[in-house]
Amino acid sequence: MMVFKDIDKELTTVVLIIGAGAAGIRTAIALKEAGVDCMLVSKREFGDAHTKMAAGGINASLGNLDPEDRWEIHAADTLKEGHFVNDPKAVELVCKNAPDAIRELAEWGCPFNTNEDGEINQRFFGAQSYRRTCFVGDHTGKAILDTLVQKAKDMGIECLDGKYVFELLKNKDRVVGALVLDKKEKQLLRIKSQYTVIAAAGYASIYSRSSSRKNENLGDAMRLALRAGAQLKDMEMVQFHPTGMVKPEKFEGKLVTEAVRGEGGHLLNADKKRFMEDYSPEMMELDARDEVARAIAREIAKGRGTKDKGVYLDISHKEEGFIKKKLPDMYERFESLGINISEKAMEVAPTSHYSMGGLLVDFENGFTGVQGLYAVGEAACGLHGANRLGGNSLIETVVLGKLTGEELSRKIKGEDNGEKISIPELEQSFSPKHYPWQAQPNQVLVKIKNLMWDHAGIIRNEKGLKEGLQQLEAIEEEIVAGSVSVEGLDFENVWANMDLFTVLEVSKLVLKAALERKESRGAHYREDFPDKDENWEANLVWNLDQDGQLKFEKLKVPAISPGVQRALDEGHSLNYHQLE
């Protein structure tokens, strides 16, 4: 049985980093290089973060294949595909620093594919003007994560894995640490820190079909930050990747990398027609993810999908040797299921993949506006706007992780850190009685995830969103009415309950935000408001009022710099047919 009586163990660090994916590790490396004490905590084993699920590539305007590419054009592509609700500061910082970040990873041993001249190779990715996506076959994220983990270990950076941060501790208006469930020891931990960095990814897994593993990317970062007083932005913006697997069941939603389309894969409906000709005749399969995902959804809705409600992704017109070299993981995965993708098409359908919404931060330093609290990676909102450009998530982690770590270390070194931070007593911050514990939390989790897929998925409307919100509120009432004592639960059920509370809160935010944005922009598509509205070229920002109720405001997007605006005016774009 899991009984909360008191703190079992207490730890202290200068900087606590919640999440040990690429963003968290790169932040830790920057802090360690500056001589600042830090501690990583992770739900999963060190080296098994969600970063490794990003397969296709990482963007930087190196110009190794297309010398005319430059960072301003990368920024212009990012803004266009974000439908101009991106944070221009975030876009500039990432795109300008991307080439150096790639070179740094290569120096640290990341085995990027190279071209005939020995330079880092680059491939096309959806909605990009030039070949700027660097890659390691089709397992780029894993290669980058392995490189960063090894670098961190070489530097002696500590990571406590198997730890669930479920509440941030505050002293007055400052975050001063966290309460943690320790899965390995099955105990309650308190970590005291002068600063806390949230690098706990996004919330794509609040949907029943997701490219994430079922028990991660549930919105931990958003729940922790909101309850601590931070603001959240653009929570309606969830990206549905066009190509997730549809079968077998244990693989449902698992990503079929965009690299398949980047290397020339064709999308075919059940009639074997290459249907992107009807939706995007110039860009074809390399149009933006939101456009391709909606096209697939429409084909399925019109009865032109497979019996398993998917479509086909075909790369069999390429030679087997080419596929094995460029797409080794995809080849091996499908081969393990008895499918040779050099002879037969893959069956795919859209899957929840990435959350563009998240914490409102100052991207020069990662500051959330709450004293002591910072955020990086998918947890932070701004770079991607209404639709993330494929290959931009990995570069965000290493660029902004480094910048946040460096800025935070300068701040710490400029302060007098001799004064001890006062930590409030446990009962002031946490009581098991505050939570409506469930005897079967996973059953309720499945119910909410199905609700979100049905009511706040790829194609939305007011009726469906309102029905979803009503059903969610009814589930919330059932949770409260059916609550049990925590003393009757084992540790695994306590852990699952925390996931349930997170998914419930974050799902409510997504539904409310999707109702408020009465237009279609990027990944947010309202069939009752199918057009983009210039009055909605703005961000929706959310926080909790003094009564704990959600409130929002609409904020104007900052201006784009002259250099990036010139790149936009130049009108760079890729015509897919030049690849044929």
Side-chain angles (χ1 to χ4, degrees), residues 29-320:
I29 290 170
L31 289 163
K32 190 74 171 180
E33 286 177 331
V36 175
D37 178 48
C38 63
M39 180 187 296
L40 286 160
V41 295
S42 172
K43 272 187 172 182
R44 305 188 74 93
E45 294 293 317
F46 195 33
D48 190 28
H50 189 259
T51 303
K52 72 179 190 179
M53 309 294 281
I58 178 170
N59 294 336
S61 55
L62 297 175
N64 290 345
L65 275 71
D66 298 316
E68 59 269 46
D69 196 14
R70 63 184 194 273
W71 77 260
E72 291 92 345
I73 303 173
H74 182 186
D77 287 348
T78 300
L79 288 164
K80 282 189 291 186
E81 292 316 309
H83 294 261
F84 299 99
V85 291
N86 322 59
D87 183 329
K89 182 192 291 185
V91 174
E92 288 209 21
L93 284 170
V94 169
C95 296
K96 188 182 293 185
N97 288 283
D100 285 343
I102 294 294
R103 287 188 278 265
E104 180 180 71
L105 286 169
E107 288 172 8
W108 290 351
C110 188
F112 288 112
N113 285 40
T114 55
N115 61 21
E116 293 178 355
D117 297 324
E119 298 175 315
I120 293 173
N121 205 354
Q122 297 183 279
R123 62 170 44 130
F124 284 110
F125 243 34
Q128 303 209 48
S129 300
Y130 295 104
R131 290 170 288 185
R132 70 166 68 97
T133 303
C134 312
F135 58 96
V136 183
D138 57 355
H139 52 270
T140 310
K142 183 180 185 303
I144 289 171
L145 183 63
D146 289 347
T147 301
L148 292 171
V149 168
Q150 189 59 54
K151 179 71 174 178
K153 288 180 176 178
D154 292 345
M155 297 176 72
I157 292 170
E158 183 181 11
C159 180
L160 304 180
D161 47 23
K163 307 293 185 289
Y164 193 145
V165 176
F166 65 89
E167 181 153 325
L168 297 179
L169 291 168
K170 290 188 75 176
N171 182 12
K172 297 180 181 178
D173 294 328
R174 185 183 183 91
V175 172
V176 292
L179 290 174
V180 183
L181 291 175
D182 185 338
K183 180 178 277 190
K184 292 183 175 179
E185 302 298 329
K186 292 184 169 46
Q187 63 183 13
L188 187 62
L189 263 173
R190 177 164 65 184
I191 302 178
K192 294 159 56 173
S193 61
Q194 291 175 305
Y195 294 90
T196 299
V197 179
I198 296 180
Y203 50 93
S205 274
I206 65 172
Y207 291 87
S208 56
R209 178 181 285 174
S210 167
S211 61
S212 301
R213 291 173 287 204
K214 299 297 182 186
N215 58 349
E216 64 185 16
N217 273 17
L218 296 170
D220 298 25
M222 293 74 213
R223 178 175 176 271
L224 287 170
L226 188 66
R227 289 165 64 88
Q231 294 178 298
L232 303 180
K233 187 170 78 168
D234 295 346
M235 292 296 291
E236 69 276 20
M237 298 300 182
V238 180
Q239 184 176 78
F240 294 86
H241 195 287
T243 55
M245 294 177 69
V246 298
K247 60 183 181 183
E249 186 177 351
K250 70 175 183 177
F251 281 93
E252 185 182 10
K254 191 172 177 65
L255 197 65
V256 176
T257 175
E258 188 167 329
V260 176
R261 288 178 288 128
E263 297 295 350
H266 297 166
L267 286 167
L268 311 172
N269 62 22
D271 299 326
K272 301 300 175 70
K273 178 185 177 182
R274 197 173 169 193
F275 60 84
M276 285 306 298
E277 294 172 349
D278 299 331
Y279 297 95
S280 180
E282 291 188 358
M283 296 294 290
M284 297 292 287
E285 285 85 358
L286 285 184
D287 206 340
R289 288 176 172 180
D290 61 321
E291 297 288 352
V292 180
R294 281 195 293 275
I296 293 172
R298 288 185 176 118
E299 287 295 297
I300 295 169
K302 291 174 181 177
R304 295 194 287 265
T306 66
K307 63 181 179 65
D308 294 307
K309 296 185 177 180
V311 295
Y312 296 110
L313 177 58
D314 189 14
I315 191 81
S316 64
H317 51 281
K318 297 286 187 178
E319 292 184 359
E320 188 171 24

Side-chain angles (χ1 to χ4, degrees), residues 451-467:
L451 179 158
M452 291 301 292
W453 184 265
D454 292 340
H455 295 281
I458 300 170
I459 298 175
R460 304 165 172 176
N461 58 54
E462 183 175 4
K463 181 176 181 290
L465 291 166
K466 284 185 174 179
E467 286 177 355

Side-chain angles (χ1 to χ4, degrees), residues 450-509:
N450 286 334
L451 179 158
M452 291 301 292
W453 184 265
D454 292 340
H455 295 281
I458 300 170
I459 298 175
R460 304 165 172 176
N461 58 54
E462 183 175 4
K463 181 176 181 290
L465 291 166
K466 284 185 174 179
E467 286 177 355
L469 196 54
Q470 289 169 358
Q471 290 179 26
L472 192 68
E473 289 168 348
I475 290 172
E476 189 171 18
E477 290 175 5
E478 292 172 8
I479 288 172
V480 173
S483 62
V484 299
S485 170
V486 69
E487 296 186 2
L489 301 176
D490 61 21
F491 191 88
E492 294 297 326
N493 260 335
V494 170
W495 186 288
N497 265 284
M498 290 300 179
D499 282 344
L500 172 59
F501 304 145
T502 296
V503 169
L504 180 66
E505 288 188 30
V506 174
S507 296
K508 187 183 298 183
L509 266 163

